[in-house]
PDB file of all heavy atoms in Angstrom:
ATOM      1  N   ARG A 130      -1.427 -19.512 -14.123  1.00  0.00           N
ATOM      2  CA  ARG A 130      -0.708 -19.654 -12.837  1.00  0.00           C
ATOM      3  C   ARG A 130      -1.224 -18.744 -11.776  1.00  0.00           C
ATOM      4  O   ARG A 130      -1.314 -19.051 -10.563  1.00  0.00           O
ATOM      5  CB  ARG A 130       0.837 -19.447 -13.004  1.00  0.00           C
ATOM      6  CG  ARG A 130       1.422 -20.708 -13.885  1.00  0.00           C
ATOM      7  CD  ARG A 130       2.929 -20.303 -14.243  1.00  0.00           C
ATOM      8  NE  ARG A 130       3.741 -20.248 -12.968  1.00  0.00           N
ATOM      9  CZ  ARG A 130       4.782 -19.468 -12.796  1.00  0.00           C
ATOM     10  NH1 ARG A 130       5.107 -18.538 -13.609  1.00  0.00           N
ATOM     11  NH2 ARG A 130       5.479 -19.506 -11.648  1.00  0.00           N
ATOM     12  N   HIS A 131      -1.458 -17.455 -12.083  1.00  0.00           N
ATOM     13  CA  HIS A 131      -1.918 -16.478 -11.284  1.00  0.00           C
ATOM     14  C   HIS A 131      -3.212 -16.937 -10.579  1.00  0.00           C
ATOM     15  O   HIS A 131      -3.406 -16.909  -9.369  1.00  0.00           O
ATOM     16  CB  HIS A 131      -2.225 -15.023 -11.898  1.00  0.00           C
ATOM     17  CG  HIS A 131      -3.063 -14.159 -11.103  1.00  0.00           C
ATOM     18  ND1 HIS A 131      -4.429 -14.162 -11.150  1.00  0.00           N
ATOM     19  CD2 HIS A 131      -2.766 -13.103 -10.261  1.00  0.00           C
ATOM     20  CE1 HIS A 131      -4.870 -13.329 -10.341  1.00  0.00           C
ATOM     21  NE2 HIS A 131      -3.861 -12.655  -9.751  1.00  0.00           N
ATOM     22  N   ASP A 132      -4.210 -17.305 -11.409  1.00  0.00           N
ATOM     23  CA  ASP A 132      -5.474 -17.726 -10.950  1.00  0.00           C
ATOM     24  C   ASP A 132      -5.388 -18.824  -9.844  1.00  0.00           C
ATOM     25  O   ASP A 132      -6.021 -19.026  -8.897  1.00  0.00           O
ATOM     26  CB  ASP A 132      -6.432 -18.127 -12.039  1.00  0.00           C
ATOM     27  CG  ASP A 132      -6.607 -16.946 -12.961  1.00  0.00           C
ATOM     28  OD1 ASP A 132      -6.262 -15.810 -12.540  1.00  0.00           O
ATOM     29  OD2 ASP A 132      -7.155 -17.191 -14.088  1.00  0.00           O
ATOM     30  N   GLU A 133      -4.511 -19.871 -10.326  1.00  0.00           N
ATOM     31  CA  GLU A 133      -4.387 -21.159  -9.484  1.00  0.00           C
ATOM     32  C   GLU A 133      -3.762 -20.824  -8.015  1.00  0.00           C
ATOM     33  O   GLU A 133      -4.239 -21.312  -7.084  1.00  0.00           O
ATOM     34  CB  GLU A 133      -3.520 -22.116 -10.147  1.00  0.00           C
ATOM     35  CG  GLU A 133      -4.080 -22.722 -11.515  1.00  0.00           C
ATOM     36  CD  GLU A 133      -3.076 -23.437 -12.300  1.00  0.00           C
ATOM     37  OE1 GLU A 133      -1.829 -23.285 -12.032  1.00  0.00           O
ATOM     38  OE2 GLU A 133      -3.466 -24.085 -13.276  1.00  0.00           O
ATOM     39  N   GLN A 134      -2.746 -20.014  -8.117  1.00  0.00           N
ATOM     40  CA  GLN A 134      -2.004 -19.637  -6.790  1.00  0.00           C
ATOM     41  C   GLN A 134      -2.807 -18.755  -5.926  1.00  0.00           C
ATOM     42  O   GLN A 134      -2.927 -18.857  -4.720  1.00  0.00           O
ATOM     43  CB  GLN A 134      -0.639 -19.059  -7.064  1.00  0.00           C
ATOM     44  CG  GLN A 134       0.311 -20.150  -7.732  1.00  0.00           C
ATOM     45  CD  GLN A 134       1.716 -19.667  -7.719  1.00  0.00           C
ATOM     46  OE1 GLN A 134       2.079 -18.723  -7.003  1.00  0.00           O
ATOM     47  NE2 GLN A 134       2.572 -20.339  -8.461  1.00  0.00           N
ATOM     48  N   ARG A 135      -3.535 -17.690  -6.638  1.00  0.00           N
ATOM     49  CA  ARG A 135      -4.415 -16.876  -5.812  1.00  0.00           C
ATOM     50  C   ARG A 135      -5.470 -17.645  -5.161  1.00  0.00           C
ATOM     51  O   ARG A 135      -5.854 -17.444  -3.932  1.00  0.00           O
ATOM     52  CB  ARG A 135      -4.918 -15.742  -6.708  1.00  0.00           C
ATOM     53  CG  ARG A 135      -5.930 -14.804  -6.050  1.00  0.00           C
ATOM     54  CD  ARG A 135      -6.548 -13.890  -7.052  1.00  0.00           C
ATOM     55  NE  ARG A 135      -7.615 -13.069  -6.490  1.00  0.00           N
ATOM     56  CZ  ARG A 135      -7.483 -11.809  -6.298  1.00  0.00           C
ATOM     57  NH1 ARG A 135      -6.417 -11.188  -6.471  1.00  0.00           N
ATOM     58  NH2 ARG A 135      -8.614 -11.027  -5.810  1.00  0.00           N
ATOM     59  N   LYS A 136      -6.137 -18.567  -5.946  1.00  0.00           N
ATOM     60  CA  LYS A 136      -7.251 -19.433  -5.423  1.00  0.00           C
ATOM     61  C   LYS A 136      -6.807 -20.200  -4.147  1.00  0.00           C
ATOM     62  O   LYS A 136      -7.638 -20.479  -3.353  1.00  0.00           O
ATOM     63  CB  LYS A 136      -7.760 -20.344  -6.516  1.00  0.00           C
ATOM     64  CG  LYS A 136      -9.033 -21.086  -6.059  1.00  0.00           C
ATOM     65  CD  LYS A 136      -9.430 -21.999  -7.241  1.00  0.00           C
ATOM     66  CE  LYS A 136     -10.749 -22.736  -6.903  1.00  0.00           C
ATOM     67  NZ  LYS A 136     -11.135 -23.665  -8.043  1.00  0.00           N
ATOM     68  N   THR A 137      -5.505 -20.512  -4.062  1.00  0.00           N
ATOM     69  CA  THR A 137      -5.050 -21.359  -2.947  1.00  0.00           C
ATOM     70  C   THR A 137      -5.105 -20.628  -1.675  1.00  0.00           C
ATOM     71  O   THR A 137      -5.539 -21.185  -0.643  1.00  0.00           O
ATOM     72  CB  THR A 137      -3.567 -21.854  -3.154  1.00  0.00           C
ATOM     73  OG1 THR A 137      -3.446 -22.648  -4.418  1.00  0.00           O
ATOM     74  CG2 THR A 137      -3.024 -22.717  -2.154  1.00  0.00           C
ATOM     75  N   VAL A 138      -4.779 -19.456  -1.663  1.00  0.00           N
ATOM     76  CA  VAL A 138      -4.670 -18.614  -0.406  1.00  0.00           C
ATOM     77  C   VAL A 138      -5.914 -17.813  -0.082  1.00  0.00           C
ATOM     78  O   VAL A 138      -6.190 -17.373   0.975  1.00  0.00           O
ATOM     79  CB  VAL A 138      -3.476 -17.646  -0.396  1.00  0.00           C
ATOM     80  CG1 VAL A 138      -2.164 -18.404  -0.392  1.00  0.00           C
ATOM     81  CG2 VAL A 138      -3.592 -16.707  -1.560  1.00  0.00           C
ATOM     82  N   SER A 139      -6.771 -17.640  -1.083  1.00  0.00           N
ATOM     83  CA  SER A 139      -7.891 -16.691  -0.896  1.00  0.00           C
ATOM     84  C   SER A 139      -8.896 -17.246   0.227  1.00  0.00           C
ATOM     85  O   SER A 139      -9.607 -16.408   0.823  1.00  0.00           O
ATOM     86  CB  SER A 139      -8.731 -16.630  -2.223  1.00  0.00           C
ATOM     87  OG  SER A 139      -9.165 -17.721  -2.647  1.00  0.00           O
ATOM     88  N   PRO A 140      -9.029 -18.549   0.546  1.00  0.00           N
ATOM     89  CA  PRO A 140      -9.924 -18.948   1.604  1.00  0.00           C
ATOM     90  C   PRO A 140      -9.569 -18.284   3.033  1.00  0.00           C
ATOM     91  O   PRO A 140     -10.437 -18.132   3.904  1.00  0.00           O
ATOM     92  CB  PRO A 140      -9.810 -20.513   1.813  1.00  0.00           C
ATOM     93  CG  PRO A 140      -9.437 -20.816   0.309  1.00  0.00           C
ATOM     94  CD  PRO A 140      -8.575 -19.763  -0.187  1.00  0.00           C
ATOM     95  N   ALA A 141      -8.258 -17.999   3.199  1.00  0.00           N
ATOM     96  CA  ALA A 141      -7.878 -17.409   4.308  1.00  0.00           C
ATOM     97  C   ALA A 141      -8.461 -16.007   4.708  1.00  0.00           C
ATOM     98  O   ALA A 141      -8.615 -15.663   5.806  1.00  0.00           O
ATOM     99  CB  ALA A 141      -6.303 -17.075   4.477  1.00  0.00           C
ATOM    100  N   VAL A 142      -8.849 -15.284   3.587  1.00  0.00           N
ATOM    101  CA  VAL A 142      -9.527 -14.024   3.773  1.00  0.00           C
ATOM    102  C   VAL A 142     -10.892 -13.978   3.148  1.00  0.00           C
ATOM    103  O   VAL A 142     -11.422 -12.881   2.825  1.00  0.00           O
ATOM    104  CB  VAL A 142      -8.669 -12.895   3.078  1.00  0.00           C
ATOM    105  CG1 VAL A 142      -7.480 -12.703   3.936  1.00  0.00           C
ATOM    106  CG2 VAL A 142      -8.253 -13.301   1.690  1.00  0.00           C
ATOM    107  N   ALA A 143     -11.556 -15.181   3.104  1.00  0.00           N
ATOM    108  CA  ALA A 143     -12.928 -15.249   2.571  1.00  0.00           C
ATOM    109  C   ALA A 143     -13.906 -14.902   3.705  1.00  0.00           C
ATOM    110  O   ALA A 143     -13.503 -14.814   4.904  1.00  0.00           O
ATOM    111  CB  ALA A 143     -13.185 -16.818   2.187  1.00  0.00           C
ATOM    112  N   PRO A 144     -15.079 -14.529   3.383  1.00  0.00           N
ATOM    113  CA  PRO A 144     -16.056 -14.083   4.303  1.00  0.00           C
ATOM    114  C   PRO A 144     -16.254 -14.893   5.620  1.00  0.00           C
ATOM    115  O   PRO A 144     -16.243 -14.441   6.728  1.00  0.00           O
ATOM    116  CB  PRO A 144     -17.516 -13.963   3.517  1.00  0.00           C
ATOM    117  CG  PRO A 144     -16.893 -13.713   2.181  1.00  0.00           C
ATOM    118  CD  PRO A 144     -15.645 -14.534   2.003  1.00  0.00           C
ATOM    119  N   HIS A 145     -16.249 -16.274   5.431  1.00  0.00           N
ATOM    120  CA  HIS A 145     -16.440 -17.145   6.552  1.00  0.00           C
ATOM    121  C   HIS A 145     -15.295 -16.972   7.571  1.00  0.00           C
ATOM    122  O   HIS A 145     -15.540 -16.796   8.745  1.00  0.00           O
ATOM    123  CB  HIS A 145     -16.492 -18.557   6.164  1.00  0.00           C
ATOM    124  CG  HIS A 145     -16.447 -19.590   7.340  1.00  0.00           C
ATOM    125  ND1 HIS A 145     -17.501 -19.724   8.190  1.00  0.00           N
ATOM    126  CD2 HIS A 145     -15.432 -20.370   7.812  1.00  0.00           C
ATOM    127  CE1 HIS A 145     -17.184 -20.592   9.111  1.00  0.00           C
ATOM    128  NE2 HIS A 145     -15.945 -21.060   8.900  1.00  0.00           N
ATOM    129  N   ASN A 146     -14.069 -16.906   7.025  1.00  0.00           N
ATOM    130  CA  ASN A 146     -12.876 -16.834   7.905  1.00  0.00           C
ATOM    131  C   ASN A 146     -12.831 -15.513   8.549  1.00  0.00           C
ATOM    132  O   ASN A 146     -12.354 -15.392   9.707  1.00  0.00           O
ATOM    133  CB  ASN A 146     -11.569 -17.185   7.146  1.00  0.00           C
ATOM    134  CG  ASN A 146     -10.505 -17.606   7.993  1.00  0.00           C
ATOM    135  OD1 ASN A 146     -10.736 -18.452   8.993  1.00  0.00           O
ATOM    136  ND2 ASN A 146      -9.260 -17.336   7.742  1.00  0.00           N
ATOM    137  N   LEU A 147     -13.277 -14.513   7.873  1.00  0.00           N
ATOM    138  CA  LEU A 147     -13.225 -13.147   8.544  1.00  0.00           C
ATOM    139  C   LEU A 147     -14.159 -13.104   9.679  1.00  0.00           C
ATOM    140  O   LEU A 147     -14.112 -12.264  10.646  1.00  0.00           O
ATOM    141  CB  LEU A 147     -13.609 -12.000   7.440  1.00  0.00           C
ATOM    142  CG  LEU A 147     -12.564 -11.851   6.356  1.00  0.00           C
ATOM    143  CD1 LEU A 147     -12.928 -10.728   5.470  1.00  0.00           C
ATOM    144  CD2 LEU A 147     -11.125 -11.783   6.842  1.00  0.00           C
ATOM    145  N   THR A 148     -15.347 -13.743   9.470  1.00  0.00           N
ATOM    146  CA  THR A 148     -16.377 -13.710  10.547  1.00  0.00           C
ATOM    147  C   THR A 148     -15.774 -14.399  11.750  1.00  0.00           C
ATOM    148  O   THR A 148     -16.004 -14.006  12.932  1.00  0.00           O
ATOM    149  CB  THR A 148     -17.610 -14.519  10.076  1.00  0.00           C
ATOM    150  OG1 THR A 148     -18.135 -13.835   8.915  1.00  0.00           O
ATOM    151  CG2 THR A 148     -18.644 -14.589  11.207  1.00  0.00           C
ATOM    152  N   VAL A 149     -14.921 -15.504  11.560  1.00  0.00           N
ATOM    153  CA  VAL A 149     -14.238 -16.107  12.683  1.00  0.00           C
ATOM    154  C   VAL A 149     -13.196 -15.343  13.291  1.00  0.00           C
ATOM    155  O   VAL A 149     -13.148 -15.300  14.523  1.00  0.00           O
ATOM    156  CB  VAL A 149     -13.635 -17.501  12.179  1.00  0.00           C
ATOM    157  CG1 VAL A 149     -12.736 -18.212  13.258  1.00  0.00           C
ATOM    158  CG2 VAL A 149     -14.724 -18.535  11.735  1.00  0.00           C
ATOM    159  N   MET A 150     -12.543 -14.609  12.518  1.00  0.00           N
ATOM    160  CA  MET A 150     -11.413 -13.624  13.053  1.00  0.00           C
ATOM    161  C   MET A 150     -11.959 -12.318  13.654  1.00  0.00           C
ATOM    162  O   MET A 150     -11.202 -11.848  14.449  1.00  0.00           O
ATOM    163  CB  MET A 150     -10.435 -13.300  11.948  1.00  0.00           C
ATOM    164  CG  MET A 150      -9.676 -14.503  11.360  1.00  0.00           C
ATOM    165  SD  MET A 150      -8.497 -13.821  10.025  1.00  0.00           S
ATOM    166  CE  MET A 150      -7.420 -12.835  11.121  1.00  0.00           C
ATOM    167  N   GLU A 151     -13.094 -11.989  13.356  1.00  0.00           N
ATOM    168  CA  GLU A 151     -13.498 -10.643  13.847  1.00  0.00           C
ATOM    169  C   GLU A 151     -13.458 -10.467  15.327  1.00  0.00           C
ATOM    170  O   GLU A 151     -13.009  -9.443  15.763  1.00  0.00           O
ATOM    171  CB  GLU A 151     -14.963 -10.275  13.255  1.00  0.00           C
ATOM    172  CG  GLU A 151     -15.358  -8.935  13.748  1.00  0.00           C
ATOM    173  CD  GLU A 151     -16.749  -8.510  13.063  1.00  0.00           C
ATOM    174  OE1 GLU A 151     -17.225  -9.242  12.147  1.00  0.00           O
ATOM    175  OE2 GLU A 151     -17.291  -7.472  13.334  1.00  0.00           O
TER     176      GLU A 151
END
Side-chain angles (χ1 to χ4, degrees):
R130 289 174 68 214
H131 165 272
D132 301 349
E133 294 167 349
Q134 294 194 14
R135 178 187 172 104
K136 185 178 179 181
T137 299
V138 297
S139 59
V142 288
H145 170 73
N146 207 37
L147 296 187
T148 300
V149 172
M150 289 183 68
E151 181 170 355

